[in-house]
Amino acid sequence: YTTNQVGVQLQVPLYAGGITQSRVREAEARRDQSRAVLDQARRNVTRQVREAYLAITGGIARVQALEQAQVSSRRALESTLIGYESGVRTGVDVLNAQRDLYRTQRDLSQARYAYLLAQLRLKFVAGTLSEADLVDLNALLIDLDHLLQPRAVTVRHDPDAVGEPDRLADIVRDEEHRLARERPDARE
C-alpha cells in the first residue's frame, strides 16, 4: 500500500512588535518629505526667475534713464564750456560738469553690466543658458569696448575748438594760476 503526504507550512507571526506598521509610517514620512523638498525647490526656482525677470525690466529702465542723463550731462558740460569761454563760468564749474558727466558714464556702464548679468541669471535659473549665450555676450562686450573709451566734447559754435581734454588742461592750469595769485603767501 502507498501513502502520500502533502503538507503546507504557514508561519504568520501573531505580533511582530509593530515593525511592519513602523516601516509603513516611515515610508509615508519619507514620501511627504520628498514632496515638501520638491515643492520648496519649485518655489525657489519660481522666485529666482521672477527676481531675474524684474532685474531685467528694471535694468532696461535704468539704462534708458542713464542714457538720457548722459545726453543731459554732455549738454550741460558743453554749455558750461561756452560759459567759461565767455567769462560767465569758472574753471571749477567746468570741472564739476566734467565730473558729473564721468559719473553718469560710470553709472551707465554699471547699469549695462547689471542688465547683462540679469539676462544671464534669468537664462541660468530657467535652465536655458548655453555656451552660445556666453559667446554672444563676449562678442557684445568686445563691440561695446569702444563705448568705454573717453570721447572728446567740443563746443559747437567754435569751428576751431580744441578737444575737451586739451581745453580742460588749460582750464585747470588757469585755475591753478588764479588760486596761486590769490594765496597770501604768493604775494610776499
Side-chain angles (χ1 to χ4, degrees), residues 74-95:
R74 192 175 305 277
R75 287 183 183 155
L77 176 60
E78 290 172 356
S79 66
T80 304
L81 285 169
I82 291 170
Y84 176 77
E85 289 175 349
S86 62
V88 179
R89 299 293 211 131
T90 67
V92 173
D93 294 333
V94 173
L95 294 174

Side-chain angles (χ1 to χ4, degrees), residues 68-133:
Q68 185 58 45
Q70 182 180 14
V71 170
S72 298
S73 294
R74 192 175 305 277
R75 287 183 183 155
L77 176 60
E78 290 172 356
S79 66
T80 304
L81 285 169
I82 291 170
Y84 176 77
E85 289 175 349
S86 62
V88 179
R89 299 293 211 131
T90 67
V92 173
D93 294 333
V94 173
L95 294 174
N96 286 338
Q98 178 69 43
R99 181 197 61 214
D100 293 343
L101 174 62
Y102 285 151
R103 281 183 181 167
T104 303
Q105 290 172 337
R106 178 203 60 207
D107 293 346
L108 178 58
S109 293
Q110 289 174 344
R112 286 178 176 153
Y113 177 74
Y115 169 74
L116 292 173
L117 282 181
Q119 281 185 324
L120 288 178
R121 195 171 296 118
L122 177 62
K123 289 181 179 185
F124 175 75
V125 297
T128 61
L129 184 63
S130 67
E131 184 178 347
D133 294 323

